[in-house]
Amino acid sequence: MSETRTDVTALDRSSVRSYLREMGPSWVAGAIAAGPATMGSLITAGGSYDYALFWVVVLSAIAGALAQYLAMRLGLLTERGIVGVIEDHLGDTWAWLLVLDVVLAAGSAQLLIMKTVAAVSATLTGIDARVWGVVWALVLAAGLATQGYRFLEAVAKVLVTGVVITFVASLFVVPFDMGAAVSGLVPSLPRGSALVAAGILGGAVHITLITMHSYTMGTRGWLREEYSLATFDVIASMLVAFGIYSVSIFLVVASVLASGDLSTVEAANALGPLVGESAKWLFLLGLAGAAVSTLGGNTIVLPFLVADKLGWGTTVEDDRYRWLLVATALLSAPGAFIGGPVLSQLALVLAIGTVGTPFAIAAVLYLLNSEVVPESNSTFSNLGGLTLLLVSGGLAANFVWEQVAGGLDLLSGAILVFAAALGIATAGLFAKFVREEAVLA
């Protein structure tokens, strides 16, 4: 296999300006990462443990950027969607397993993201959240059906940029302890904080973000020649924008909110009497932008993979894909009618997605170290990928253990079966890779 390396360092000032204009696909992933579930984990972390988990917040941005970089390499070097690559080189069963994994993770998340969007809209306007659920579903369906991916990418870049600016502005009206924040960069896990840390990391390294990236780049028409641009796109979106988003929210909450039981909307409302109405409204506007951008980004994940598996096109030029987009958007409306505390529900959905993430990372690593790609993966990329696999696998195992330890019921039993199937599949990929390497040796 060729040892040629793609040059990602040859950047001059004109290149940077050009990249800033052309970047986009990773911003859709960033829009999903910077959503209500991640925000809920950040609020719980800052409200319950002060600055102690600041190091996890910083680590999540680095881990998220690395995961997207690996997904980007697979998409650009194969110039195909991940499901088609897996189907051709691993087989139909493996491809269906990945699709099912994403359907469960993205489908359940879609309903609760809509619940959050509707709740924020209701808080801002006074109009019933259920009405907003229907309205947002129709807007989403119309926008995606007529404009497709480019509509979503444009909205994601504007909203994520606006959200980052909004939360950074919050730091100027909310006092925070710089010394305590710096001390929080020293790794430690206070008693009872492991699941919260898992939620923060799980929001940045998630199966939906990893699997969708090859499709968004393909829709933009990016090929191997855009490798440097795609790398810049990942760094700007996941490392910089998502990193600033996470750090800003965490510092605001850790500075003034003393309860980890707040929902995302309740956290915004609590800021008013504590540090002024300006902080409350900045936080609410940031939450609204994050929720809307996440809803749009998450909507396209499932249609991308399902359409690819069925042999359909993955742009709105294919009417079958267009109607799949519309159906996904409209089916999110019932999320606004779900009762119960949204924060714990979002945490559960995020954890379920975390169970499916190790298999996706393992599949990407397997393919990047096979004959599928024309360039071998670097040692650094492999070590980073293996670290991600171990961390995400540990978080998933911890979540499943807690579910089982609490007693088996229908939900915990289903999670256990789901985790066992994907665990066996991940181990199977590893064994397959070892056998193939032994044959080559």
Side-chain angles (χ1 to χ4, degrees):
M1 184 178 292
S2 171
E3 294 293 329
T4 304
R5 292 281 184 266
T6 305
D7 182 11
V8 299
T9 61
L11 287 177
D12 55 27
R13 189 173 300 175
S14 62
S15 297
V16 171
R17 286 197 297 266
S18 174
Y19 287 179
L20 288 172
R21 289 193 303 269
E22 294 297 323
M23 64 183 181
S26 190
W27 286 77
V28 180
I32 299 176
T38 300
M39 186 180 291
S41 297
L42 293 168
I43 288 171
T44 302
S48 297
Y49 305 103
D50 295 325
Y51 297 95
L53 295 179
F54 191 28
W55 67 276
V56 181
V57 177
V58 175
L59 178 63
S60 71
I62 299 172
L66 178 57
Q68 288 308 112
Y69 173 75
L70 293 173
M72 177 273 290
R73 274 185 60 81
L74 180 63
L76 280 191
L77 296 179
T78 61
E79 298 180 354
R80 296 186 60 193
I82 187 172
V83 170
V85 175
I86 288 178
E87 185 172 21
D88 286 351
H89 296 277
L90 288 173
D92 194 59
T93 301
W94 294 94
W96 273 119
L97 185 60
L98 181 65
V99 172
L100 177 61
D101 193 358
V102 172
V103 167
L104 291 174
S108 56
Q110 185 76 5
L111 294 173
L112 290 180
I113 295 169
M114 175 59 84
K115 177 179 178 177
T116 305
V117 171
V120 176
S121 301
T123 302
L124 289 170
T125 65
I127 299 173
D128 191 282
R130 291 167 294 186
V131 175
W132 275 114
V134 175
V135 169
W136 279 117
L138 291 172
V139 169
L140 190 61
L144 291 175
T146 55
Q147 301 298 320
Y149 167 76
R150 293 308 293 264
F151 160 78
L152 176 61
E153 184 185 287
V155 171
K157 284 193 286 188
V158 171
L159 286 179
V160 172
T161 301
V163 166
V164 170
I165 292 172
T166 299
F167 283 121
V168 170
S170 296
L171 290 176
F172 289 93
V173 295
V174 174
F176 69 93
D177 188 336
M178 179 64 75
V182 172
S183 68
L185 292 174
V186 178
S188 67
L189 279 177
R191 188 181 185 88
S193 66
L195 282 181
V196 180
I200 295 173
L201 281 170
V205 183
H206 197 272
I207 184 171
T208 55
L209 311 182
I210 296 168
T211 55
M212 72 175 286
H213 201 41
S214 59
Y215 297 97
T216 52
M217 290 188 301
T219 302
R220 277 294 298 271
W222 285 7
L223 303 174
R224 296 173 198 170
E225 291 75 14
E226 280 76 34
Y227 195 101
S228 294
L229 170 58
T231 303
F232 182 90
D233 190 40
V234 169
I235 293 172
S237 171
M238 291 301 297
L239 187 61
V240 178
F242 176 73
I244 294 174
Y245 161 91
S246 300
V247 166
S248 300
I249 294 174
F250 178 83
L251 291 178
V252 167
V253 174
S255 301
V256 296
L257 298 181
S259 171
D261 298 325
L262 295 172
S263 73
T264 48
V265 176
E266 288 168 343
N269 289 331
L271 287 173
L274 289 173
V275 290
E277 286 297 305
S278 57
K280 168 189 172 179
W281 286 106
L282 279 171
F283 202 90
L284 271 175
L285 288 173
L287 172 58
V292 172
S293 64
T294 303
L295 180 68
N298 195 73
T299 303
I300 68 171
V301 177
L302 187 152
F304 268 145
L305 273 74
V306 172
D308 190 13
K309 184 65 191 73
L310 296 176
W312 300 351
T314 53
T315 68
V316 291
E317 281 68 33
D318 189 317
D319 286 337
R320 296 167 298 182
Y321 174 75
R322 184 199 303 271
W323 287 111
L324 188 57
L325 274 178
V326 171
T328 305
L330 295 180
L331 288 173
S332 64
F337 294 80
I338 297 175
V342 68
L343 193 58
S344 59
Q345 293 168 344
L346 283 169
L348 177 62
V349 166
L350 191 60
I352 291 173
T354 302
V355 171
T357 299
F359 174 65
I361 295 174
V364 170
L365 284 175
Y366 173 89
L367 293 170
L368 285 175
N369 286 279
S370 70
E371 75 283 356
V372 173
V373 296
E375 298 180 11
S376 60
N377 220 26
S378 68
T379 301
F380 174 80
S381 295
N382 281 331
L383 288 175
L386 287 173
T387 302
L388 287 177
L389 181 59
L390 291 173
V391 170
S392 61
L395 296 178
N398 188 42
F399 166 68
V400 173
W401 173 254
E402 283 211 347
Q403 291 292 308
V404 174
L408 281 176
D409 55 19
L410 182 61
L411 176 60
S412 60
I415 291 173
L416 179 60
V417 171
F418 180 54
L422 292 177
I424 292 171
T426 303
L429 274 180
F430 179 76
K432 182 177 175 62
F433 177 76
V434 170
R435 287 196 305 270
E436 290 173 352
E437 288 297 301
V439 170
L440 290 175

